[in-house]
Amino acid sequence: MKPGCRRAAALFLAAVLALSCAGCMTGSVEELYSLPQMSEEYVQLQELIGQRIDEGDTYAAPTGGSNRQSVQLRDLDGDGVPEALAFLADKSHTPLVCIYRRNGDGDYYHDAILPGEGSAVARVEYADLNGDGAAELIIAWQGAGDLRLLSVYSLGSPDSASQDCIFSAGCSDFVVTDLDGNGVEDLLALQTGAGGGSLTVYDVTGSDAVSAATASLSAGVTSLRRAVPGTLPDGTAALFVESDLGGSGLVTDVFAYAGGQLENLAMSPLGRSSLLRPDGLYAADINGDGALEIPSGSGDRLTWYGLDAAGTLTPAASSYYDDQGGWYLILTGILQEGLTVERHGVGGDEPAAAFIVAGDGSAPQRTVLAIYTLTGPNRQDRAEVDGRFILRQEENIVFAAQLLTDELTQEDILNNFYIAYDQWQLGDL
């Protein structure tokens, strides 16, 4: 290996070691200020991987998900000693995974290679899918477009990785969570196609046994936005899948899994969830009950619903959604009735939404609140003039509010103001 390549590889593995030992700093002041020294086993691991680099392989880290390092340390067999996995690509750019284990002397040795599919490793996760104490390796190999090949490998024993692929299946993305509440994580594969899609649960009960249950996504789904595990009001575990509906907004499908049966609780007889709304809004626990509520409706006034295990929708709250400012406010108190909203300054660096409450027999119509989306210079200062107070600070935006009546408090607004995130990456959550 060229000296520059060896030094780069050594520094990379030193970073892996430093992350593994974060929070373990002990020793004298002189030791703390000295250059970090790699242990012998990591020097030896670097040399083993360097042999692959010398032969023409290159580092090829996973492109998505939370595990994106080129070299990852994981205890695959449950013995308390981490194995090392190097994510590489060969001369023809085919992805592959090299697995290194440690022998009785603590030295690493090259155990096996997982030959890749497609053009890259799109995602990698580690989970005990069958409850045997060992972690399965879950890889989504990137195919053409949005297509991926989902493969699960059992790596519990040495020299077995190359042949112990439990199964492979096509998917768009996947989620790992305990959906049926039995204490063992389930593998959930999402697949979209022309005008629809499906969710499949793979229940890995042994190295050669996989059972599956499948339920449909809403008709018309064109792409996935977010899939997040959550709970229903009665505590039932559920998966909330939020998808694009052909550019006309977002739809939420809610899946529960019990007794080997997978059900889309939000599905209507028309083959589509009724939980539709404008783009940019996602399920959230907006009332603090521990369950996820789902927004639905059109325009800027939306209703948030709780969904029970029988598929019954119950209104939980209402909100005003400002799609131009990218925020929403849960409506409470005087904001719940007779509300009209006027926008001012749209397009400038200080737009505001003025909330006007219609009068009744005892009170005239009055403006009660203004919310500002501040950009440009001095936005921090402008967020605190004339009685304004800061709601939220983002990288280039400050959200601020101004109370125009004593019928509302700062706490009322702070507790019910949310940012609408319009882009989520499945697999990054």
Side-chain angles (χ1 to χ4, degrees), residues 377-396:
N378 303 318
R379 54 185 177 273
Q380 178 83 27
D381 294 335
R382 287 185 285 123
E384 298 179 299
V385 300
D386 299 328
R388 298 175 186 175
F389 57 95
I390 294 175
L391 295 171
R392 184 73 172 267
Q393 298 185 62
E394 298 291 300
E395 183 176 359
N396 298 309

Side-chain angles (χ1 to χ4, degrees), residues 69-298:
Q69 304 84 5
S70 294
V71 179
Q72 301 180 20
L73 304 179
R74 288 294 188 280
D75 181 9
L76 300 173
D77 52 16
D79 65 354
V81 179
E83 283 71 42
L85 296 90
F87 293 85
L88 308 172
D90 64 18
K91 294 178 181 179
S92 63
H93 306 293
T94 300
L96 52 89
V97 182
C98 291
I99 299 170
Y100 301 88
R101 298 181 187 267
R102 296 172 70 175
N103 59 27
D105 296 328
D107 294 330
Y108 280 100
Y109 66 94
H110 184 208
D111 176 49
I113 296 177
L114 298 180
E117 302 283 348
S119 60
V121 174
R123 276 184 63 198
V124 58
E125 300 290 343
Y126 307 87
D128 182 2
L129 299 176
N130 55 17
D132 65 355
E136 278 69 53
L137 173 64
I138 308 165
I139 297 179
W141 305 100
Q142 184 65 57
D146 294 332
L147 297 177
R148 297 174 176 180
L149 179 68
L150 178 63
S151 298
V152 178
Y153 303 87
S154 177
L155 308 179
S157 58
D159 306 312
S160 65
S162 60
Q163 66 265 21
D164 279 358
C165 178
I166 298 176
F167 78 99
S168 293
C171 76
S172 298
D173 218 316
F174 68 92
V175 178
V176 177
T177 186
D178 180 10
L179 193 57
D180 58 4
N182 67 351
V184 178
E185 290 186 296
D186 300 301
L187 178 60
L188 316 174
L190 288 152
Q191 181 73 60
T192 57
S198 63
L199 175 71
T200 298
V201 178
Y202 292 100
D203 184 10
V204 181
T205 57
S207 61
D208 58 355
V210 178
S211 59
T214 301
S216 296
L217 292 167
S218 288
V221 164
T222 55
S223 62
L224 301 169
R225 289 295 191 87
R226 189 180 78 153
V228 58
T231 59
L232 304 180
D234 64 358
T236 299
L239 185 72
F240 295 74
V241 180
E242 299 175 302
S243 310
D244 183 79
L245 202 60
S248 59
L250 297 185
V251 61
T252 298
D253 292 295
V254 183
F255 296 91
Y257 182 50
Q261 300 296 314
L262 181 66
E263 182 180 4
N264 186 345
L265 301 176
M267 186 69 78
S268 73
L270 299 177
R272 176 182 295 175
S273 169
S274 60
L275 297 166
L276 310 174
R277 75 276 189 179
D279 201 348
L281 289 177
Y282 296 86
D285 180 9
I286 48 85
N287 58 9
D289 65 353
L292 292 181
E293 284 76 42
I294 310 160
S296 185
S298 59

Side-chain angles (χ1 to χ4, degrees), residues 24-45:
C24 315
M25 296 175 63
T26 60
S28 67
V29 174
E30 290 79 8
E31 290 172 330
L32 292 176
Y33 280 93
S34 65
L35 292 174
Q37 299 295 317
M38 289 192 297
S39 62
E40 292 183 6
E41 61 266 25
Y42 286 97
V43 172
Q44 188 243 336
L45 175 60

